[in-house]
């Protein structure tokens, strides 16, 4: 029950709309019942059973007398029959208007709740740390954000609203209908061709609109995939608000297109029913004309004909399906709530200090760190990077190099020890201000499915002018190949930058970092797996990037860090050597062995 209450809480902003929708449904149900009730005076007049309304009227007849007594009793038989038929047509038309309003408002609630749930879901995962994304599949998150929120909404769209509406229908029908007829075949044969012919253009239009909606849903999936796979870059550039705005814009377009599509789609039901009512009334007129001509139809045939609508069966069927819908909805809701209940671990408490720049040094002081259910990755690391120095970190894969540098932007925090900036622990500062002062260029460059301009001017730099972007691209040796692209800086690069080579993607990333001009730089080896010319261009760009910055370099090729001010050798989560390249390469230690292996491999 707790899950149902929580899901109903998303209805709170829509209570007024929900009440209006329910009121329209009640009006539609009463009018629907009224059309059946009008058959009583119709049959009495048609078969000359006395006056249109009996001397000892039932409660239903008293309602008819109060609502339309003069219309059904005045004039001769033909006039009375005509008036009753017109009343039936009018009641059906008004019922379908009320039904359309109720259905559309229900759709508004359904899509609004889905939008709100997705908005909350996306906003929440932006507050989760990298550890969450490292252990959670991106496809699972996308499925929960799109499919499971849709499934959870079944409880509201096909559950709560359906129960209330169909409950009203059943009460009205039980009060009025008292017989069933077998003559459905004739009605079906008459309705089907007319409905198919009239609804064909509507169905084709709805199909086209649904294709447009599917495209917007694909855009949502693409943004979600890019944000999840590029979580490190988003956080390093403090671009959560930018990504949230981008996502919200597409989500709002999806919401509006879905409403337009549903507005047309739900028109099919009242239109088809109105057409059926027209055929139904036509049959009544034909039958009454035959009776007046002496060819006679017995009253009980008319009663059976009225009952053939079988209006009671569909709402009963839908009510019977409610438990299954409710369970299906809660299955999806539980998966969504599981993520929403995950404590946000990438947010700062109120009053966190703002970091500006390092003036003296960065110090890793007796740092220990372990991932959940794993052994220590870092074991008592002590390392100092002075302001303006380039410090390289080398070691075998799994030695803890990436984990160590992840501590600086607070992607993770040490479980023991501290990371100090000019003597102040990083945990004192807000994550956003720290990441604003950091630039990250990694071996695996993240390129978004956007223009070159937007990829360079990313996150907080999205408003940068074009001249500044071009200057950063020139410094990164990227301007030349960018101008050769079909639309230059306005060329869309495709998902993950598939239009670019590895070296070109790296130079886009360097231009991105240069545009931010961060005082501290984290550089994962950016020249591995590149051809000679690409490596030369990237290295020239990196040399410009290193100027006047404090730099931590994760090095895979030792030859690339020979000019570093200091080299720290990590092994098993500990720093086993620290010094300059020339001293370490002849020191007979771990670094020398790594260097000799690299030389033997031809690097």
């Amino acid at each position: 029950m707790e899950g149902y209450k929580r899901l109903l809480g998303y209805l709170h902003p829509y209570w007024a709309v929900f009440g209006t929708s329910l009121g329209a449904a009640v009006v539609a149900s009463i009018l629907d019942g009224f059309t059946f009730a009008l058959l009583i005076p119709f049959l009495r007049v048609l078969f000359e059973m006395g006056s249109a309304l009996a001397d000892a009227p039932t409660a239903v007849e008293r309602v008819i007398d109060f609502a339309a007594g003069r219309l059904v009793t005045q004039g001769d038989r033909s006039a009375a029959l005509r008036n009753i038929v017109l009343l039936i047509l009018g009641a059906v038309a008004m019922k379908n208007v009320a039904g359309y309003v109720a259905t559309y408002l229900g759709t508004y609630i359904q899509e609004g709740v889905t939008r709100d749930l997705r908005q909350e879901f996306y906003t929440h995962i932006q507050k989760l740390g990298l550890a969450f994304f490292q252990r959670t599949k991106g496809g699972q998150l996308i499925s929960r954000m799109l499919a499971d929120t849709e499934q959870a909404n079944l409880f509201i769209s096909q559950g709560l609203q359906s129960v209330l509406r169909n409950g009203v229908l059943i009460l009205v029908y039980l009060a009025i209908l008292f017989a069933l007829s077998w003559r459905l075949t004739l009605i079906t044969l008459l309705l089907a061709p007319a409905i198919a012919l009239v609804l064909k253009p509507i169905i084709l239009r709805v199909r086209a609109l649904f294709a447009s909606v599917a495209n917007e849903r694909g855009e949502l999936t693409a943004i979600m995939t890019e944000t999840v796979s590029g979580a490190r870059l988003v956080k390093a550039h403090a671009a959560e608000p930018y990504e949230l705005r981008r996502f919200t814009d597409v989500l709002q377009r999806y919401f509006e297109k879905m409403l337009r599509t549903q507005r047309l789609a739900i028109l099919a039901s009242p239109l088809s029913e109105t057409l059926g009512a027209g055929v139904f009334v036509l049959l009544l007129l034909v039958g009454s004309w035959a009776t007046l001509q002496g060819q006679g139809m017995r009253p009980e045939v008319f009663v059976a004909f009225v009952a053939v609508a079988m209006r009671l069966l569909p709402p009963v069927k839908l009510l019977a399906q409610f438990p299954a819908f409710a369970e299906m909805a809660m299955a999806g809701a539980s998966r969504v709530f599981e993520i929403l209940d995950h404590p946000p671990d990438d947010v700062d408490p109120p009053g966190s200090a703002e970091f500006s720049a390092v003036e003296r040094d960065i110090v890793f002081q007796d740092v220990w760190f372990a991932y959940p259910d794993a052994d220590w990755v870092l074991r008592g690391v002590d390392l100092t990077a002075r302001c303006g120095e380039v410090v390289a970190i080398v070691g075998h894969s799994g030695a803890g190099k990436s984990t160590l540098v992840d501590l600086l932007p607070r992607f993770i925090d040490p479980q023991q020890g501290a990371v100090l900036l000019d003597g102040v622990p990083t945990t004192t500062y807000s994550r956003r201000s720290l990441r604003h002062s950091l630039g990250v260029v990694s071996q695996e460059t993240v390129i978004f499915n956007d223009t070159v301009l937007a990829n360079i001017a990313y996150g907080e730099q999205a408003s940068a002018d074009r001249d500044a972007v071009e200057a950063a691209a020139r410094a990164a040796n990227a301007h030349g190949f960018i101008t050769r692209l079909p639309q230059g800086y306005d060329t869309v690069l495709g998902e993950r930058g598939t239009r670019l080579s590895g070296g070109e993607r790296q130079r886009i990333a360097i231009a991105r970092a240069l545009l931010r001009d961060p005082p501290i730089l984290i550089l994962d080896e950016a020249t591995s797996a590149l051809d000679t010319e690409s490596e030369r261009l990237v290295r020239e760009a990196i040399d410009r990037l290193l100027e006047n910055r404090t730099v931590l370099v994760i090095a895979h090729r030792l030859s690339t860090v020979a000019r570093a001010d200091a080299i720290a050798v990590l092994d098993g989560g500990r720093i086993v050597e620290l010094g300059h390249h020339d001293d370490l390469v002849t020191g007979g230690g771990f670094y020398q062995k790594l260097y000799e292996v690299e030389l033997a491999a031809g690097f």
Side-chain angles (χ1 to χ4, degrees), residues 391-394 561-562 564-569 577-581 584 591:
V391 176
I393 304 167
V394 302
V561 295
D565 296 293
I567 300 173
V569 183
E577 289 181 280
L578 180 64
H580 295 284
H581 173 77
L584 293 174
Y591 186 87

Side-chain angles (χ1 to χ4, degrees), residues 223-245:
I223 292 175
M224 186 72 180
T225 302
E226 288 176 349
T227 306
V228 172
S229 62
R232 181 186 297 271
L233 179 66
V234 172
K235 292 182 179 298
H237 284 259
E240 290 91 338
Y242 167 80
E243 291 295 344
L244 182 57
R245 288 193 301 272

